[in-house]
Amino acid sequence: MESAPRTVEVFGDDDVPESVTWQAVTLMRSEWPSLFAAGLRWITRPFEEDVAPRYVVVRHGEVVMSHAVVLDVPADVHRTGLRVAGVASVLTSPPYRGEGHATAVLRAAGGLVDEGGFDVAGLFCAPALEPFYARAGWSVCPGGTVEDDADHASTDLRMMRFLSPAGRAAERRLREEPLHVGWCW
Ligand SMILES: CC(C)(COP(=O)(O)OP(=O)(O)OC[C@H]1O[C@@H](n2cnc3c(N)ncnc32)[C@H](O)[C@@H]1OP(=O)(O)O)[C@@H](O)C(=O)NCCC(=O)NCCS
């Protein structure tokens, strides 16, 4: 299998090429159709500017092979009293899976959250992906997550990184207690 030379690019909301956001949102539509319900049904980009999205991308020419989004999670969504970075939409286009692209994207996303002045960072994933994220320095929070309007805890794992002194001071609480959020990113 071809192992393409790999550069991980980072774009902000102001300089991300439309071809990147279109491919990202189209890959997400296919992978996670249930996300595209109600108000999100016709979105044309993964996130709006209010969460300051940074697109972390591996491309071959204009073809997006793998991507993730780092966002500033709004205070009224996470309600921790901390500065919270989110990592979301980690996805490799099917033909290019198993070639290390998501690992490289996640490493770059980790660099952004580590250097971004955040207290903690969080992501949500299927339980089977725990080892994949643990290898990249993310820890499982067994307290789980409850979204507003949900009548039970999310079946996704919440995984976090504890970055600043304030974030590390909150680590035990964030790990062990349920986190109530407006929405899982
Ligand atoms: C998970 C995903 C992003 C990995 O992308 P990738 O570029 O193939 O990842 P890498 O090549 O860097 O690493 C592959 C590793 O991912 C892990 N992995 C991928 N899919 C997995 C699955 N379904 N279950 C468990 N682990 C999985 C494995 O550890 C695998 O390592 P291996 O190849 O040695 O078994 C990709 O499979 C994908 O887009 N899946 C669908 C969307 C998704 O689930 N995204 C994660 C959202 S939290």
Short mmCIF file of all heavy atoms in Angstrom, two decimals, residues 82-114:
data_model
loop_
_atom_site.label_atom_id
_atom_site.label_comp_id
_atom_site.label_asym_id
_atom_site.label_seq_id
_atom_site.Cartn_x
_atom_site.Cartn_y
_atom_site.Cartn_z
N LEU A 82 -13.57 26.11 33.53
CA LEU A 82 -12.19 26.05 33.01
C LEU A 82 -12.18 26.47 31.54
O LEU A 82 -13.22 26.66 30.93
CB LEU A 82 -11.65 24.62 33.15
CG LEU A 82 -11.57 24.09 34.58
CD1 LEU A 82 -11.34 22.57 34.57
CD2 LEU A 82 -10.45 24.78 35.36
N ARG A 83 -10.98 26.60 30.99
CA ARG A 83 -10.85 26.83 29.54
C ARG A 83 -10.70 25.44 28.89
O ARG A 83 -9.72 24.74 29.18
CB ARG A 83 -9.64 27.70 29.26
CG ARG A 83 -9.80 29.14 29.77
CD ARG A 83 -8.48 29.85 29.83
NE ARG A 83 -7.56 29.13 30.73
CZ ARG A 83 -6.29 29.45 30.92
NH1 ARG A 83 -5.75 30.46 30.27
NH2 ARG A 83 -5.54 28.76 31.75
N VAL A 84 -11.66 25.11 28.06
CA VAL A 84 -11.72 23.74 27.54
C VAL A 84 -11.54 23.74 26.02
O VAL A 84 -12.28 24.41 25.29
CB VAL A 84 -13.07 23.08 27.90
CG1 VAL A 84 -13.14 21.66 27.33
CG2 VAL A 84 -13.26 23.05 29.42
N ALA A 85 -10.57 22.98 25.57
CA ALA A 85 -10.41 22.72 24.13
C ALA A 85 -11.14 21.42 23.80
O ALA A 85 -11.13 20.48 24.60
CB ALA A 85 -8.94 22.57 23.77
N GLY A 86 -11.72 21.39 22.64
CA GLY A 86 -12.32 20.15 22.17
C GLY A 86 -11.58 19.65 20.95
O GLY A 86 -11.07 20.44 20.15
N VAL A 87 -11.50 18.35 20.83
CA VAL A 87 -11.04 17.74 19.58
C VAL A 87 -12.22 16.96 19.04
O VAL A 87 -12.86 16.20 19.78
CB VAL A 87 -9.81 16.85 19.80
CG1 VAL A 87 -9.48 16.04 18.54
CG2 VAL A 87 -8.60 17.70 20.19
N ALA A 88 -12.54 17.21 17.80
CA ALA A 88 -13.77 16.64 17.23
C ALA A 88 -13.52 16.21 15.79
O ALA A 88 -12.50 16.58 15.19
CB ALA A 88 -14.87 17.70 17.25
N SER A 89 -14.46 15.45 15.29
CA SER A 89 -14.47 15.12 13.85
C SER A 89 -13.18 14.46 13.39
O SER A 89 -12.70 14.74 12.28
CB SER A 89 -14.73 16.38 13.00
OG SER A 89 -15.81 17.12 13.49
N VAL A 90 -12.61 13.61 14.21
CA VAL A 90 -11.41 12.87 13.80
C VAL A 90 -11.85 11.81 12.80
O VAL A 90 -12.65 10.93 13.12
CB VAL A 90 -10.73 12.20 15.02
CG1 VAL A 90 -9.49 11.42 14.57
CG2 VAL A 90 -10.39 13.23 16.08
N LEU A 91 -11.36 11.92 11.61
CA LEU A 91 -11.87 11.03 10.56
C LEU A 91 -10.83 10.89 9.45
O LEU A 91 -10.25 11.90 9.02
CB LEU A 91 -13.16 11.64 10.00
CG LEU A 91 -14.10 10.73 9.19
CD1 LEU A 91 -15.50 11.34 9.18
CD2 LEU A 91 -13.64 10.52 7.78
N THR A 92 -10.62 9.66 9.03
CA THR A 92 -9.79 9.41 7.84
C THR A 92 -10.70 8.86 6.74
O THR A 92 -11.51 7.96 6.99
CB THR A 92 -8.67 8.40 8.17
OG1 THR A 92 -7.81 8.99 9.15
CG2 THR A 92 -7.84 8.05 6.94
N SER A 93 -10.55 9.41 5.57
CA SER A 93 -11.33 8.94 4.42
C SER A 93 -11.04 7.44 4.20
O SER A 93 -9.87 7.02 4.26
CB SER A 93 -10.92 9.78 3.21
OG SER A 93 -11.60 9.38 2.06
N PRO A 94 -12.08 6.63 3.97
CA PRO A 94 -11.89 5.17 3.98
C PRO A 94 -10.72 4.62 3.17
O PRO A 94 -10.02 3.72 3.65
CB PRO A 94 -13.25 4.65 3.49
CG PRO A 94 -14.22 5.66 4.00
CD PRO A 94 -13.52 7.00 3.85
N PRO A 95 -10.43 5.11 1.95
CA PRO A 95 -9.33 4.45 1.22
C PRO A 95 -7.96 4.63 1.86
O PRO A 95 -7.02 3.92 1.50
CB PRO A 95 -9.34 5.16 -0.15
CG PRO A 95 -10.59 5.92 -0.23
CD PRO A 95 -11.07 6.17 1.16
N TYR A 96 -7.85 5.58 2.78
CA TYR A 96 -6.53 5.93 3.31
C TYR A 96 -6.37 5.52 4.77
O TYR A 96 -5.46 5.98 5.45
CB TYR A 96 -6.29 7.44 3.13
CG TYR A 96 -6.70 7.91 1.76
CD1 TYR A 96 -7.76 8.79 1.59
CD2 TYR A 96 -6.06 7.41 0.63
CE1 TYR A 96 -8.17 9.18 0.32
CE2 TYR A 96 -6.48 7.79 -0.64
CZ TYR A 96 -7.52 8.68 -0.80
OH TYR A 96 -7.93 9.04 -2.05
N ARG A 97 -7.28 4.68 5.26
CA ARG A 97 -7.19 4.25 6.67
C ARG A 97 -6.05 3.26 6.87
O ARG A 97 -5.64 2.56 5.95
CB ARG A 97 -8.53 3.65 7.11
CG ARG A 97 -9.59 4.73 7.23
CD ARG A 97 -10.92 4.23 7.74
NE ARG A 97 -11.87 5.36 7.70
CZ ARG A 97 -13.18 5.27 7.86
NH1 ARG A 97 -13.73 4.09 8.11
NH2 ARG A 97 -13.92 6.35 7.80
N GLY A 98 -5.58 3.22 8.11
CA GLY A 98 -4.53 2.27 8.46
C GLY A 98 -3.15 2.67 7.97
O GLY A 98 -2.22 1.87 7.97
N GLU A 99 -3.00 3.91 7.56
CA GLU A 99 -1.70 4.39 7.06
C GLU A 99 -1.06 5.40 8.01
O GLU A 99 -0.08 6.05 7.65
CB GLU A 99 -1.89 5.04 5.67
CG GLU A 99 -2.42 4.08 4.63
CD GLU A 99 -2.66 4.75 3.26
OE1 GLU A 99 -2.31 5.93 3.09
OE2 GLU A 99 -3.20 4.06 2.38
N GLY A 100 -1.64 5.56 9.18
CA GLY A 100 -1.03 6.44 10.20
C GLY A 100 -1.47 7.90 10.10
O GLY A 100 -0.98 8.74 10.84
N HIS A 101 -2.43 8.20 9.21
CA HIS A 101 -2.79 9.61 9.03
C HIS A 101 -3.49 10.19 10.26
O HIS A 101 -3.19 11.30 10.69
CB HIS A 101 -3.67 9.78 7.79
CG HIS A 101 -3.02 9.31 6.54
ND1 HIS A 101 -1.79 9.79 6.13
CD2 HIS A 101 -3.39 8.38 5.62
CE1 HIS A 101 -1.44 9.18 5.00
NE2 HIS A 101 -2.40 8.32 4.68
N ALA A 102 -4.44 9.45 10.83
CA ALA A 102 -5.15 9.99 11.99
C ALA A 102 -4.20 10.13 13.18
O ALA A 102 -4.32 11.07 13.97
CB ALA A 102 -6.34 9.11 12.36
N THR A 103 -3.25 9.23 13.29
CA THR A 103 -2.25 9.35 14.36
C THR A 103 -1.48 10.66 14.21
O THR A 103 -1.26 11.39 15.19
CB THR A 103 -1.28 8.15 14.32
OG1 THR A 103 -2.04 6.96 14.52
CG2 THR A 103 -0.20 8.26 15.39
N ALA A 104 -1.11 10.98 12.97
CA ALA A 104 -0.37 12.24 12.73
C ALA A 104 -1.27 13.45 12.99
O ALA A 104 -0.84 14.45 13.58
CB ALA A 104 0.15 12.25 11.30
N VAL A 105 -2.53 13.36 12.57
CA VAL A 105 -3.47 14.46 12.80
C VAL A 105 -3.67 14.68 14.30
O VAL A 105 -3.66 15.80 14.80
CB VAL A 105 -4.82 14.15 12.09
CG1 VAL A 105 -5.95 15.01 12.64
CG2 VAL A 105 -4.68 14.34 10.59
N LEU A 106 -3.81 13.57 15.02
CA LEU A 106 -4.05 13.66 16.46
C LEU A 106 -2.83 14.24 17.19
O LEU A 106 -2.97 14.99 18.15
CB LEU A 106 -4.37 12.26 16.97
CG LEU A 106 -5.12 12.15 18.27
CD1 LEU A 106 -6.43 12.94 18.23
CD2 LEU A 106 -5.39 10.68 18.58
N ARG A 107 -1.66 13.89 16.69
CA ARG A 107 -0.44 14.44 17.31
C ARG A 107 -0.43 15.97 17.13
O ARG A 107 -0.16 16.72 18.06
CB ARG A 107 0.80 13.81 16.68
CG ARG A 107 2.08 14.16 17.41
CD ARG A 107 3.32 13.51 16.79
NE ARG A 107 3.18 12.08 16.60
CZ ARG A 107 3.28 11.44 15.43
NH1 ARG A 107 3.54 12.12 14.32
NH2 ARG A 107 3.14 10.14 15.35
N ALA A 108 -0.74 16.41 15.92
CA ALA A 108 -0.76 17.86 15.67
C ALA A 108 -1.87 18.54 16.47
O ALA A 108 -1.68 19.64 17.02
CB ALA A 108 -0.94 18.12 14.18
N ALA A 109 -3.03 17.89 16.55
CA ALA A 109 -4.14 18.47 17.34
C ALA A 109 -3.74 18.56 18.80
O ALA A 109 -4.03 19.55 19.49
CB ALA A 109 -5.40 17.61 17.17
N GLY A 110 -3.04 17.54 19.29
CA GLY A 110 -2.56 17.56 20.68
C GLY A 110 -1.60 18.72 20.91
O GLY A 110 -1.66 19.39 21.95
N GLY A 111 -0.75 19.00 19.92
CA GLY A 111 0.16 20.14 20.03
C GLY A 111 -0.61 21.46 20.14
O GLY A 111 -0.28 22.33 20.93
N LEU A 112 -1.68 21.58 19.34
CA LEU A 112 -2.49 22.81 19.39
C LEU A 112 -3.14 22.99 20.75
O LEU A 112 -3.17 24.09 21.30
CB LEU A 112 -3.58 22.78 18.32
CG LEU A 112 -3.16 22.94 16.87
CD1 LEU A 112 -4.39 22.86 15.97
CD2 LEU A 112 -2.43 24.25 16.65
N VAL A 113 -3.69 21.91 21.29
CA VAL A 113 -4.37 22.08 22.59
C VAL A 113 -3.33 22.33 23.69
O VAL A 113 -3.57 23.13 24.59
CB VAL A 113 -5.32 20.92 22.96
CG1 VAL A 113 -6.37 20.71 21.90
CG2 VAL A 113 -4.61 19.64 23.26
N ASP A 114 -2.18 21.69 23.59
CA ASP A 114 -1.16 21.87 24.63
C ASP A 114 -0.64 23.30 24.66
O ASP A 114 -0.31 23.83 25.72
CB ASP A 114 0.03 20.92 24.40
CG ASP A 114 -0.35 19.48 24.65
OD1 ASP A 114 -1.45 19.22 25.16
OD2 ASP A 114 0.48 18.59 24.31
#
